[in-house]
Amino acid sequence: FRHRFGLEGRFVVTHAGALGLANDIPPILRAAERLKDHPDVVFLFAGDGKERQRLEEQVRERALKNVAFIGGVAKSGIPEVLAASDVCIATLKNIPMFRMTYPNKVFDYMAAGRPVILAIDGVIREVVERADAGVYVAPGDDIGIAEAVRLLKSNPAVRQKMGSQGRAHVERYFNRSD
């Protein structure tokens, strides 16, 4: 997967899922802009949606070389995407209703043993923090996202620990086969 998409030797920050207004992707792009002097970091978007074309235009306008859109991926292909990721990110707009949502992508990230950068407040934040499986950033905070990427990139042991803890947590508390 890394070879196919030119990701070898890079620190891959993945957003897997819809690219709609509610998903609040612009702060991720602003974080990518803040990290553009780190050519070894790439923000990978595996998904599609109504905002994809506008987001790709923003990337071109800003001349961001550290952002890649690979389009929609079948659910069966998500494990391959996440296996190629170093860190995964989930964002939603800061709307009170979203404080009660459990985005599937966060459980996918944790099940894959990947640390989560989470810019969603509410019940899903409680899950990630209880598991000590990632870094919470306030919704819309591109500076916080960039800092979380730097922190996790520079601490492989922390990444591994958070990923393992997230995996163990979803196996224990969110296993659908039980």
Side-chain angles (χ1 to χ4, degrees):
F1 184 90
R2 280 183 175 248
H3 176 74
R4 187 173 8 151
F5 291 102
L7 303 172
E8 297 110 324
R10 298 185 79 186
F11 186 79
V12 180
V13 181
T14 298
H15 176 278
L19 300 174
L21 280 173
N23 302 103
D24 205 22
I25 304 303
I28 302 174
L29 297 184
R30 292 193 306 270
E33 190 166 22
R34 291 182 180 284
L35 295 170
K36 66 182 177 184
D37 57 337
H38 296 270
D40 58 332
V41 174
V42 63
F43 289 80
L44 178 72
F45 292 92
D48 213 341
K50 289 186 177 189
E51 293 297 300
R52 180 177 171 190
Q53 184 176 357
R54 188 177 65 79
L55 295 166
E56 287 180 331
E57 287 172 16
Q58 289 178 14
V59 167
R60 281 191 296 277
E61 288 168 4
R62 296 176 183 174
L64 298 177
K65 305 293 184 205
N66 60 347
V67 176
F69 292 88
I70 63 168
V73 175
K75 189 75 170 166
S76 62
I78 293 297
E80 182 181 32
V81 173
L82 299 183
S85 305
D86 294 291
V87 172
C88 295
I89 186 165
T91 57
L92 284 174
K93 288 210 177 264
N94 194 16
I95 296 171
M97 177 179 69
F98 291 153
R99 292 180 181 203
M100 298 306 299
T101 62
Y102 291 93
N104 286 336
K105 72 175 74 195
V106 177
F107 293 102
D108 290 344
Y109 298 165
M110 292 171 69
R114 295 298 176 254
V116 179
I117 297 174
L118 184 71
I120 306 168
D121 206 351
V123 292
I124 196 64
R125 175 182 177 186
E126 293 171 14
V127 170
V128 172
E129 287 182 343
R130 193 173 307 119
D132 194 16
V135 177
Y136 170 76
V137 175
D141 182 2
D142 57 286
I143 295 170
I145 292 170
E147 288 173 359
V149 170
R150 282 189 196 101
L151 170 76
L152 292 170
K153 180 180 180 291
S154 66
N155 291 288
V158 170
R159 283 195 317 271
Q160 195 280 327
K161 184 178 180 186
M162 287 179 168
S164 295
Q165 291 172 162
R167 168 96 184 178
H169 191 80
V170 295
E171 285 179 344
R172 180 168 182 190
Y173 297 106
F174 298 96
N175 188 336
R176 289 185 176 176
S177 64
D178 289 346

